[in-house]
Coordinates of all heavy atoms in Angstrom, one line a residue:
K545 N 0.8 -1.2 0.0 CA 0.0 0.0 0.0 C 0.9 1.2 0.0 O 1.8 1.3 0.7 CB -0.9 0.0 1.2 CG -2.0 -1.0 1.2 CD -2.9 -0.9 2.4 CE -4.0 -1.9 2.3 NZ -4.9 -1.9 3.4
G546 N 0.5 2.2 -0.8 CA 1.2 3.4 -0.9 C 2.5 3.4 -1.6 O 3.2 4.4 -1.6
L547 N 2.9 2.3 -2.2 CA 4.1 2.2 -2.9 C 4.0 2.8 -4.3 O 2.9 2.6 -5.0 CB 4.6 0.7 -3.1 CG 4.9 0.0 -1.8 CD1 5.2 -1.5 -2.1 CD2 6.1 0.6 -1.1
P548 N 5.0 3.5 -4.8 CA 4.9 4.0 -6.2 C 4.9 2.9 -7.2 O 5.5 1.9 -7.0 CB 6.1 4.9 -6.3 CG 7.1 4.3 -5.3 CD 6.3 3.8 -4.2
I549 N 4.2 3.2 -8.3 CA 4.1 2.2 -9.4 C 5.2 2.6 -10.4 O 5.3 3.7 -10.8 CB 2.7 2.3 -10.1 CG1 1.6 1.9 -9.1 CG2 2.7 1.4 -11.3 CD1 0.2 2.1 -9.7
E550 N 6.0 1.6 -10.7 CA 7.1 1.8 -11.6 C 6.6 1.5 -13.0 O 6.0 0.5 -13.3 CB 8.3 0.9 -11.3 CG 9.0 1.4 -10.0 CD 10.3 0.6 -9.8 OE1 11.0 0.3 -10.8 OE2 10.7 0.4 -8.6
V551 N 6.9 2.4 -13.9 CA 6.6 2.2 -15.3 C 7.9 2.0 -16.1 O 8.8 2.8 -16.1 CB 5.9 3.5 -15.9 CG1 5.5 3.3 -17.4 CG2 4.6 3.8 -15.1
P552 N 8.0 0.9 -16.9 CA 9.2 0.6 -17.7 C 9.4 1.8 -18.6 O 8.5 2.4 -19.1 CB 8.8 -0.7 -18.4 CG 7.7 -1.3 -17.6 CD 7.0 -0.2 -17.0
D553 N 10.7 2.1 -18.9 CA 11.1 3.2 -19.8 C 10.4 3.1 -21.1 O 10.0 4.1 -21.7 CB 12.6 3.2 -19.9 CG 13.3 3.7 -18.7 OD1 12.6 4.3 -17.8 OD2 14.5 3.4 -18.5
A554 N 10.3 1.9 -21.7 CA 9.7 1.7 -23.1 C 8.2 2.1 -23.0 O 7.7 2.8 -23.9 CB 9.9 0.3 -23.6
E555 N 7.5 1.7 -22.0 CA 6.1 2.0 -21.9 C 5.9 3.5 -21.7 O 5.1 4.1 -22.2 CB 5.5 1.3 -20.7 CG 4.0 1.4 -20.6 CD 3.4 0.6 -19.5 OE1 4.0 -0.5 -19.1 OE2 2.4 1.0 -18.9
L556 N 6.8 4.1 -20.9 CA 6.7 5.6 -20.6 C 7.0 6.4 -21.9 O 6.3 7.3 -22.2 CB 7.7 6.0 -19.5 CG 7.7 7.5 -19.1 CD1 6.4 7.8 -18.6 CD2 8.8 7.7 -18.1
A557 N 8.0 5.9 -22.7 CA 8.3 6.6 -23.9 C 7.1 6.5 -24.9 O 6.9 7.4 -25.6 CB 9.6 5.9 -24.5
E558 N 6.4 5.4 -24.9 CA 5.3 5.2 -25.8 C 4.2 6.2 -25.5 O 3.5 6.7 -26.4 CB 4.8 3.7 -25.7 CG 3.6 3.4 -26.6 CD 4.0 3.4 -28.1 OE1 5.2 3.2 -28.4 OE2 3.1 3.6 -28.9
T559 N 3.9 6.4 -24.2 CA 2.9 7.3 -23.8 C 3.2 8.8 -24.0 O 2.4 9.6 -24.1 CB 2.5 7.1 -22.3 OG1 3.6 7.4 -21.5 CG2 2.0 5.7 -22.1
Q560 N 4.5 9.1 -24.1 CA 5.0 10.5 -24.3 C 5.4 10.8 -25.7 O 5.8 11.9 -26.0 CB 6.1 10.8 -23.3 CG 5.8 10.7 -21.9 CD 6.9 10.9 -21.0 OE1 8.1 10.9 -21.4 NE2 6.7 11.3 -19.7
R561 N 5.2 9.9 -26.6 CA 5.6 10.0 -28.0 C 4.7 11.0 -28.7 O 3.5 11.1 -28.5 CB 5.6 8.7 -28.7 CG 6.2 8.7 -30.1 CD 6.2 7.3 -30.6 NE 4.9 6.7 -30.5 CZ 4.5 5.8 -31.3 NH1 5.2 5.3 -32.2 NH2 3.3 5.3 -31.2
E562 N 5.3 11.8 -29.6 CA 4.6 12.8 -30.4 C 3.6 12.0 -31.3 O 4.0 10.9 -31.8 CB 5.5 13.6 -31.3 CG 6.2 14.7 -30.5 CD 5.3 15.9 -30.3 OE1 4.6 16.3 -31.2 OE2 5.4 16.4 -29.2
P563 N 2.4 12.5 -31.6 CA 1.6 11.8 -32.5 C 2.2 11.8 -33.9 O 2.9 12.8 -34.3 CB 0.3 12.6 -32.5 CG 0.6 13.9 -31.7 CD 1.9 13.7 -31.0
A564 N 1.9 10.8 -34.7 CA 2.4 10.7 -36.1 C 1.9 11.9 -36.9 O 0.8 12.4 -36.8 CB 2.0 9.4 -36.7
R565 N 2.8 12.4 -37.8 CA 2.4 13.5 -38.7 C 2.6 13.1 -40.2 O 2.1 13.9 -41.1 CB 3.3 14.8 -38.4 CG 3.0 15.4 -37.1 CD 3.9 16.6 -36.9 NE 3.5 17.5 -35.9 CZ 2.5 18.3 -36.0 NH1 1.8 18.4 -37.1 NH2 2.1 19.1 -35.0
S566 N 3.3 12.0 -40.4 CA 3.4 11.5 -41.8 C 3.5 10.0 -41.8 O 3.8 9.4 -40.8 CB 4.7 12.1 -42.4 OG 5.8 11.6 -41.8
W567 N 3.1 9.4 -42.9 CA 3.0 8.0 -43.0 C 3.7 7.5 -44.3 O 3.0 7.1 -45.3 CB 1.5 7.6 -43.0 CG 0.9 7.8 -41.7 CD1 0.8 6.9 -40.7 CD2 0.3 9.0 -41.2 NE1 0.1 7.4 -39.6 CE2 -0.1 8.7 -39.9 CE3 0.2 10.3 -41.7 CZ2 -0.7 9.7 -39.1 CZ3 -0.4 11.3 -40.9 CH2 -0.9 11.0 -39.6
P568 N 5.0 7.5 -44.4 CA 5.7 7.1 -45.7 C 5.4 5.6 -46.0 O 5.5 5.2 -47.2 CB 7.1 7.4 -45.4 CG 7.3 7.5 -43.9 CD 5.9 8.0 -43.4
E569 N 5.2 4.8 -45.0 CA 5.0 3.4 -45.2 C 3.7 3.1 -45.9 O 3.5 1.9 -46.4 CB 5.0 2.7 -43.9 CG 3.8 2.9 -43.0 CD 3.8 4.1 -42.1 OE1 4.7 5.0 -42.3 OE2 3.0 4.2 -41.2
L570 N 2.8 4.1 -46.1 CA 1.6 3.8 -46.8 C 1.6 4.0 -48.3 O 0.6 3.6 -49.0 CB 0.5 4.7 -46.3 CG 0.2 4.5 -44.8 CD1 -0.9 5.5 -44.3 CD2 -0.2 3.1 -44.5
V571 N 2.7 4.4 -48.9 CA 2.9 4.6 -50.3 C 2.6 3.3 -51.0 O 3.2 2.3 -50.6 CB 4.2 5.2 -50.7 CG1 4.4 5.2 -52.2 CG2 4.4 6.6 -50.1
G572 N 1.7 3.3 -52.0 CA 1.4 2.1 -52.7 C 0.3 1.3 -52.2 O -0.3 0.4 -52.9
R573 N -0.2 1.6 -51.0 CA -1.3 0.9 -50.4 C -2.6 1.4 -50.9 O -2.7 2.5 -51.4 CB -1.3 1.0 -48.9 CG 0.0 0.3 -48.4 CD 0.0 -0.3 -47.0 NE -1.2 -0.9 -46.5 CZ -1.4 -1.0 -45.2 NH1 -0.6 -0.5 -44.3 NH2 -2.5 -1.6 -44.8
S574 N -3.7 0.7 -50.8 CA -5.0 1.2 -51.2 C -5.5 2.3 -50.4 O -5.1 2.5 -49.2 CB -6.0 0.0 -51.1 OG -6.4 -0.2 -49.8
S575 N -6.3 3.2 -51.0 CA -6.8 4.4 -50.3 C -7.6 4.0 -49.0 O -7.4 4.6 -47.9 CB -7.7 5.2 -51.2 OG -8.8 4.5 -51.6
L576 N -8.4 3.0 -49.1 CA -9.2 2.6 -47.9 C -8.3 2.1 -46.7 O -8.5 2.5 -45.6 CB -10.2 1.5 -48.3 CG -11.3 1.9 -49.2 CD1 -12.2 0.8 -49.6 CD2 -12.1 3.1 -48.6
A577 N -7.3 1.3 -47.1 CA -6.4 0.8 -46.0 C -5.6 1.9 -45.4 O -5.4 2.0 -44.2 CB -5.4 -0.3 -46.6
A578 N -5.1 2.8 -46.2 CA -4.3 4.0 -45.8 C -5.1 4.9 -44.9 O -4.7 5.3 -43.8 CB -3.7 4.7 -46.9
I579 N -6.3 5.2 -45.3 CA -7.2 6.1 -44.5 C -7.5 5.5 -43.2 O -7.5 6.2 -42.2 CB -8.4 6.6 -45.4 CG1 -7.9 7.5 -46.5 CG2 -9.5 7.2 -44.5 CD1 -9.0 7.8 -47.5
E580 N -7.9 4.2 -43.2 CA -8.2 3.5 -42.0 C -7.0 3.5 -41.0 O -7.2 3.7 -39.8 CB -8.6 2.1 -42.3 CG -9.0 1.3 -41.1 CD -10.2 1.9 -40.3 OE1 -11.0 2.6 -40.9 OE2 -10.2 1.7 -39.0
K581 N -5.8 3.3 -41.5 CA -4.6 3.2 -40.7 C -4.4 4.6 -40.0 O -4.1 4.7 -38.8 CB -3.4 2.8 -41.5 CG -2.1 3.1 -40.8 CD -1.5 1.8 -40.4 CE 0.0 2.0 -40.0 NZ 0.2 1.5 -38.7
I582 N -4.5 5.7 -40.8 CA -4.3 7.0 -40.2 C -5.4 7.3 -39.2 O -5.1 7.8 -38.1 CB -4.3 8.0 -41.4 CG1 -3.1 7.8 -42.3 CG2 -4.3 9.5 -40.8 CD1 -3.1 8.6 -43.6
R583 N -6.6 7.0 -39.5 CA -7.7 7.2 -38.5 C -7.5 6.4 -37.2 O -7.8 6.9 -36.2 CB -9.1 6.8 -39.1 CG -9.5 7.8 -40.1 CD -10.9 7.5 -40.7 NE -11.4 8.5 -41.6 CZ -12.2 8.3 -42.6 NH1 -12.7 7.1 -42.8 NH2 -12.6 9.3 -43.4
Q584 N -6.9 5.2 -37.3 CA -6.7 4.5 -36.1 C -5.6 5.2 -35.3 O -5.7 5.2 -34.0 CB -6.2 3.1 -36.4 CG -7.3 2.2 -36.9 CD -6.8 0.8 -37.4 OE1 -5.6 0.5 -37.4 NE2 -7.7 -0.1 -37.7
E585 N -4.5 5.7 -35.9 CA -3.4 6.3 -35.2 C -3.8 7.7 -34.8 O -3.2 8.2 -33.8 CB -2.2 6.3 -36.1 CG -1.6 4.9 -36.3 CD -0.3 5.0 -37.1 OE1 0.3 6.1 -37.2 OE2 0.2 3.9 -37.6
R586 N -4.6 8.4 -35.5 CA -4.9 9.8 -35.3 C -6.4 10.1 -35.4 O -6.9 10.7 -36.3 CB -4.2 10.7 -36.2 CG -2.6 10.8 -36.1 CD -2.2 11.4 -34.8 NE -2.7 12.7 -34.6 CZ -2.2 13.9 -35.0 NH1 -1.1 13.9 -35.6 NH2 -2.8 15.0 -34.7
P587 N -7.2 9.6 -34.4 CA -8.6 9.8 -34.5 C -9.0 11.3 -34.3 O -10.2 11.7 -34.6 CB -9.2 9.0 -33.3 CG -8.0 8.8 -32.4 CD -6.8 8.8 -33.2
D588 N -8.0 12.1 -34.0 CA -8.3 13.5 -33.7 C -8.2 14.4 -35.0 O -8.4 15.6 -35.0 CB -7.3 14.1 -32.7 CG -5.8 13.9 -33.2 OD1 -5.5 12.8 -33.6 OD2 -5.0 14.8 -33.0
V589 N -7.9 13.8 -36.2 CA -7.8 14.5 -37.4 C -8.8 14.1 -38.5 O -9.2 12.9 -38.4 CB -6.3 14.4 -38.0 CG1 -5.3 15.0 -37.0 CG2 -6.0 13.0 -38.4
E590 N -9.0 15.0 -39.4 CA -9.9 14.6 -40.6 C -8.9 14.1 -41.6 O -7.9 14.7 -41.9 CB -10.6 15.9 -41.1 CG -11.3 15.7 -42.3 CD -11.9 17.0 -42.9 OE1 -11.5 18.1 -42.4 OE2 -12.7 16.9 -43.8
V591 N -9.3 12.9 -42.2 CA -8.4 12.3 -43.2 C -9.2 12.4 -44.5 O -10.3 12.0 -44.7 CB -8.1 10.8 -42.9 CG1 -7.2 10.2 -43.9 CG2 -7.6 10.7 -41.5
V592 N -8.5 13.0 -45.5 CA -9.1 13.3 -46.8 C -8.3 12.7 -47.9 O -7.1 12.9 -48.0 CB -9.2 14.8 -47.1 CG1 -9.8 15.1 -48.4 CG2 -9.9 15.5 -45.9
G593 N -8.9 11.9 -48.8 CA -8.2 11.3 -50.0 C -8.3 12.3 -51.1 O -9.4 12.9 -51.4
V594 N -7.2 12.6 -51.8 CA -7.2 13.6 -52.8 C -6.5 13.0 -54.1 O -5.4 12.5 -54.0 CB -6.4 14.8 -52.4 CG1 -6.3 15.9 -53.5 CG2 -6.9 15.4 -51.1
T595 N -7.3 13.0 -55.2 CA -6.7 12.4 -56.4 C -5.9 13.4 -57.1 O -6.0 14.7 -56.9 CB -7.9 12.0 -57.4 OG1 -8.7 13.1 -57.6 CG2 -8.6 10.8 -56.8
S596 N -5.0 13.0 -58.0 CA -4.1 13.8 -58.7 C -4.8 14.8 -59.5 O -5.8 14.5 -60.2 CB -3.2 13.0 -59.6 OG -2.3 13.8 -60.3
G597 N -4.5 16.1 -59.4 CA -5.1 17.2 -60.2 C -6.3 17.8 -59.5 O -6.9 18.7 -60.0
A598 N -6.7 17.2 -58.4 CA -7.9 17.8 -57.7 C -7.6 19.1 -57.1 O -6.5 19.4 -56.7 CB -8.4 16.8 -56.6
M599 N -8.6 20.0 -57.1 CA -8.5 21.3 -56.5 C -8.6 21.2 -55.0 O -9.4 20.5 -54.4 CB -9.6 22.2 -57.0 CG -9.6 22.4 -58.5 SD -8.3 23.5 -59.0 CE -8.9 25.1 -58.4
V600 N -7.6 21.8 -54.3 CA -7.6 21.8 -52.8 C -7.3 23.2 -52.3 O -6.7 24.0 -53.0 CB -6.6 20.8 -52.2 CG1 -6.9 19.3 -52.6 CG2 -5.2 21.1 -52.7
T601 N -7.7 23.5 -51.1 CA -7.3 24.7 -50.5 C -5.9 24.7 -50.1 O -5.3 23.7 -49.9 CB -8.2 25.0 -49.3 OG1 -8.0 24.0 -48.3 CG2 -9.7 25.0 -49.6
T602 N -5.3 25.9 -50.0 CA -3.9 26.0 -49.6 C -3.6 26.3 -48.2 O -2.5 26.4 -47.7 CB -3.2 27.1 -50.5 OG1 -3.9 28.4 -50.2 CG2 -3.2 26.8 -51.9
D603 N -4.7 26.3 -47.4 CA -4.5 26.6 -45.9 C -3.9 25.4 -45.2 O -4.1 24.2 -45.6 CB -5.9 26.9 -45.3 CG -6.9 25.8 -45.4 OD1 -7.0 25.2 -46.4 OD2 -7.6 25.7 -44.4
Y604 N -3.1 25.6 -44.2 CA -2.5 24.6 -43.4 C -3.4 24.4 -42.2 O -3.7 25.3 -41.4 CB -1.1 25.0 -43.0 CG -0.4 23.9 -42.2 CD1 0.3 22.9 -42.8 CD2 -0.5 23.9 -40.8 CE1 0.9 21.9 -42.1 CE2 0.1 22.9 -40.1 CZ 0.8 21.9 -40.7 OH 1.4 20.9 -40.0
R605 N -3.8 23.1 -41.9 CA -4.6 22.8 -40.8 C -4.0 21.6 -40.0 O -3.8 20.5 -40.6 CB -6.0 22.4 -41.2 CG -6.8 23.6 -41.7 CD -8.2 23.4 -42.1 NE -8.8 22.3 -41.3 CZ -9.8 21.6 -41.7 NH1 -10.3 21.8 -42.9 NH2 -10.4 20.6 -41.0
E606 N -3.7 21.8 -38.8 CA -3.2 20.7 -37.9 C -4.1 19.6 -37.8 O -3.7 18.4 -37.5 CB -2.9 21.3 -36.5 CG -1.7 22.3 -36.5 CD -0.4 21.5 -36.5 OE1 -0.3 20.4 -36.0 OE2 0.6 22.1 -37.0
D607 N -5.4 19.8 -38.0 CA -6.4 18.7 -37.7 C -6.8 18.0 -39.0 O -7.9 17.4 -39.1 CB -7.6 19.3 -37.1 CG -8.4 20.3 -37.9 OD1 -7.8 20.9 -38.8 OD2 -9.6 20.6 -37.7
R608 N -6.0 18.1 -40.1 CA -6.3 17.4 -41.3 C -5.1 16.7 -41.9 O -3.9 17.2 -41.8 CB -6.7 18.5 -42.4 CG -7.0 17.9 -43.8 CD -7.4 19.0 -44.8 NE -6.3 20.0 -44.9 CZ -6.5 21.3 -45.2 NH1 -7.7 21.7 -45.4 NH2 -5.5 22.1 -45.3
V609 N -5.3 15.5 -42.5 CA -4.3 14.8 -43.2 C -4.8 14.5 -44.6 O -5.9 14.0 -44.8 CB -4.0 13.4 -42.5 CG1 -3.0 12.6 -43.4 CG2 -3.4 13.7 -41.1
R610 N -4.1 14.9 -45.6 CA -4.4 14.7 -47.0 C -3.6 13.5 -47.5 O -2.4 13.4 -47.3 CB -4.2 15.9 -47.9 CG -5.1 17.0 -47.6 CD -4.9 18.1 -48.6 NE -5.9 19.1 -48.5 CZ -5.7 20.4 -48.6 NH1 -4.5 20.8 -48.9 NH2 -6.6 21.3 -48.4
V611 N -4.4 12.5 -48.1 CA -3.7 11.4 -48.7 C -3.8 11.5 -50.2 O -4.9 11.5 -50.8 CB -4.5 10.1 -48.2 CG1 -3.8 8.8 -48.8 CG2 -4.6 10.0 -46.7
S612 N -2.6 11.6 -50.8 CA -2.5 11.8 -52.3 C -2.7 10.5 -53.0 O -1.9 9.6 -52.7 CB -1.2 12.5 -52.6 OG -1.1 12.7 -53.9
L613 N -3.7 10.4 -53.9 CA -4.0 9.1 -54.5 C -3.7 9.2 -56.0 O -3.9 10.2 -56.6 CB -5.5 8.8 -54.3 CG -5.9 8.8 -52.8 CD1 -7.4 8.6 -52.8 CD2 -5.2 7.7 -52.1
D614 N -3.3 8.0 -56.6 CA -3.2 7.9 -58.0 C -4.5 7.5 -58.7 O -5.5 7.4 -58.0 CB -2.0 7.0 -58.4 CG -2.3 5.5 -58.0 OD1 -3.4 5.1 -57.7 OD2 -1.3 4.8 -58.0
E615 N -4.4 7.3 -60.0 CA -5.7 7.0 -60.7 C -6.2 5.6 -60.3 O -7.4 5.3 -60.6 CB -5.4 7.0 -62.2 CG -4.4 6.0 -62.8 CD -2.9 6.5 -62.6 OE1 -2.7 7.6 -62.2 OE2 -2.0 5.7 -62.9
N616 N -5.4 4.8 -59.7 CA -5.9 3.5 -59.2 C -6.3 3.4 -57.7 O -6.5 2.4 -57.1 CB -4.8 2.4 -59.4 CG -4.5 2.2 -60.9 OD1 -5.4 2.1 -61.7 ND2 -3.2 2.2 -61.2
E617 N -6.5 4.7 -57.2 CA -6.9 4.8 -55.8 C -5.8 4.2 -54.8 O -6.2 3.7 -53.8 CB -8.2 4.2 -55.5 CG -9.4 4.8 -56.3 CD -10.1 5.9 -55.5 OE1 -10.2 5.8 -54.3 OE2 -10.5 6.9 -56.2
R618 N -4.6 4.3 -55.2 CA -3.4 3.9 -54.3 C -2.7 5.2 -53.9 O -2.6 6.1 -54.6 CB -2.5 2.9 -55.1 CG -3.2 1.7 -55.4 CD -2.3 0.5 -55.3 NE -2.9 -0.8 -55.4 CZ -3.4 -1.5 -54.3 NH1 -3.2 -1.0 -53.1 NH2 -4.0 -2.6 -54.5
V619 N -2.1 5.1 -52.7 CA -1.3 6.2 -52.2 C -0.1 6.4 -53.0 O 0.7 5.5 -53.2 CB -0.9 6.0 -50.7 CG1 -0.1 7.1 -50.1 CG2 -2.2 5.7 -49.8
R620 N 0.0 7.7 -53.6 CA 1.2 7.9 -54.4 C 2.3 8.7 -53.8 O 3.4 8.8 -54.3 CB 0.7 8.6 -55.7 CG 0.2 10.0 -55.6 CD -0.3 10.5 -57.0 NE -0.6 11.9 -56.8 CZ 0.2 12.9 -57.2 NH1 1.4 12.6 -57.7 NH2 -0.2 14.2 -57.1
R621 N 2.0 9.4 -52.7 CA 3.0 10.2 -52.0 C 2.7 10.0 -50.5 O 1.6 9.7 -50.1 CB 2.9 11.7 -52.3 CG 3.6 12.0 -53.6 CD 3.7 13.5 -53.7 NE 2.4 14.1 -53.9 CZ 2.1 15.3 -54.0 NH1 3.0 16.2 -53.9 NH2 0.8 15.7 -54.1
W622 N 3.7 10.3 -49.7 CA 3.6 10.3 -48.2 C 2.3 11.1 -47.8 O 2.1 12.2 -48.3 CB 4.7 11.0 -47.5 CG 6.0 10.3 -47.6 CD1 6.4 9.3 -48.4 CD2 7.2 10.6 -46.7 NE1 7.7 9.0 -48.1 CE2 8.2 9.8 -47.1 CE3 7.4 11.5 -45.7 CZ2 9.4 9.8 -46.5 CZ3 8.6 11.5 -45.1 CH2 9.6 10.7 -45.5
A623 N 1.5 10.4 -47.0 CA 0.4 11.1 -46.4 C 1.0 12.0 -45.3 O 1.8 11.5 -44.4 CB -0.6 10.1 -45.8
R624 N 0.6 13.3 -45.2 CA 1.1 14.2 -44.3 C 0.0 15.1 -43.7 O -0.9 15.4 -44.3 CB 2.2 15.2 -44.9 CG 3.4 14.5 -45.4 CD 4.4 15.4 -46.0 NE 5.5 14.6 -46.5 CZ 6.3 15.0 -47.4 NH1 6.1 16.2 -48.0 NH2 7.3 14.3 -47.8
G625 N 0.3 15.5 -42.5 CA -0.7 16.4 -41.8 C -0.6 17.8 -42.4 O 0.4 18.2 -43.0
G626 N -1.7 18.5 -42.3 CA -1.7 19.9 -42.8 C -2.7 20.1 -43.8 O -3.3 21.0 -44.1

């Protein structure tokens, strides 16, 4: 009773880690799989799939991740926040 709880360094580091802002490992994956992965890791952001040549706003938003898609609905560039 009253003893401090020790947290292993790896577990502590995991809880203090910065949230992901980019996902280079998703290049080539399907749009649905990529968007789902990002939503699992960052439920606090809006995830938007954008096809090549689509019109998008130029504003930077911390609460948005754009996923750049090719004509086959596969991720063509790193998905990044903003």
Side-chain angles (χ1 to χ4, degrees):
K545 290 183 179 180
L547 296 176
I549 298 173
E550 290 189 32
V551 178
D553 290 340
E555 187 178 333
L556 183 60
E558 182 69 26
T559 61
Q560 294 177 344
R561 189 174 52 156
E562 282 284 318
R565 294 180 160 283
S566 67
W567 291 264
E569 72 276 12
L570 299 180
V571 173
R573 299 210 30 208
S574 75
S575 60
L576 294 177
I579 290 170
E580 180 61 28
K581 168 107 170 124
I582 295 168
R583 285 183 177 154
Q584 285 176 354
E585 290 186 16
R586 293 292 308 270
D588 58 314
V589 300
E590 175 187 11
V591 185
V592 180
V594 180
T595 55
S596 182
M599 299 287 289
V600 296
T601 60
T602 58
D603 62 322
Y604 182 85
R605 290 184 29 206
E606 290 281 332
D607 65 337
R608 175 181 62 210
V609 173
R610 287 187 176 141
V611 180
S612 181
L613 305 172
D614 66 15
E615 63 278 354
N616 297 313
E617 299 265 326
R618 297 215 167 268
V619 179
R620 67 182 189 100
R621 279 190 293 176
W622 290 16
R624 295 185 182 152

